Amino acid sequence: MSHSIDIQSAPIDRVVSALTQRLDTERLTQNVSQASLAQTAGVSRRTVIRMAAGEGVSLESYVRVALALGLTDALSTLLTPPELRPLEQLTRKPARQRASRGSTDDTVAWHWGDENAP
C-alpha cells in the first residue's frame, strides 16, 4: 500500500492511518516482531496491532513506537524551531517568560481596613 497522500486535502483518519501504517512498514523492514516492538516501546501488543491495521493510537504511543524503531530524525524535524530571516532576528522581541500582571487601577489607593468600608 502506498503511504503517499496529500496531507492538505486528505481526511484526518486517512492521514492517521498512513502514519500508523508507516511505522508498521518500518517494523517489518527492520524484521522486528510485534511483541518485541511492544516490549521495547513500552506499549501493549494490541497497540502495535492497531497501528499495523492503520487505526489511531495515542500520540504518546505513536512517539514511543517511533523512538523504539529509531525514527528520531523524523520526530526531531517536528521539534526544530523554524528558522528566522536575518532581518526578523534583529527586529524580533525576546520571548516572554511570564504573563503580564494585567491592568491595575492606580487612581484609588487601597489601605488596610478598606474592605469593610462602604
Side-chain angles (χ1 to χ4, degrees):
M1 173 182 190
S2 173
H3 298 293
S4 179
I5 62 171
D6 180 9
I7 293 177
Q8 294 292 336
S9 62
I12 294 298
D13 60 335
R14 187 160 175 230
V15 173
V16 169
S17 179
L19 286 170
T20 56
Q21 287 177 339
R22 173 65 182 93
L23 289 186
D24 193 57
T25 300
E26 184 64 28
R27 176 188 69 79
L28 293 171
T29 300
Q30 294 183 23
N31 197 27
V32 177
S33 71
Q34 290 176 335
S36 176
L37 177 59
Q39 184 175 12
T40 303
V43 300
S44 69
R45 183 168 176 263
R46 177 71 185 132
T47 296
V48 175
I49 291 170
R50 289 181 63 218
M51 292 176 83
E55 297 178 20
V57 296
S58 73
L59 180 59
E60 181 179 346
S61 294
Y62 187 89
V63 170
R64 285 176 175 270
V65 171
L67 291 174
L69 290 170
L71 300 175
T72 55
D73 289 343
L75 293 175
S76 294
T77 301
L78 294 173
L79 298 175
T80 303
E83 295 294 323
L84 294 177
R85 292 176 280 196
L87 185 57
E88 289 175 337
Q89 290 177 356
L90 292 174
T91 59
R92 184 176 180 200
K93 294 180 181 177
R96 292 182 53 168
Q97 297 298 313
R98 53 188 129 147
S100 61
R101 292 184 177 197
S103 63
T104 57
D105 185 6
D106 293 333
T107 59
V108 178
W110 181 83
H111 300 284
W112 284 103
D114 284 352
E115 66 273 359
N116 296 328

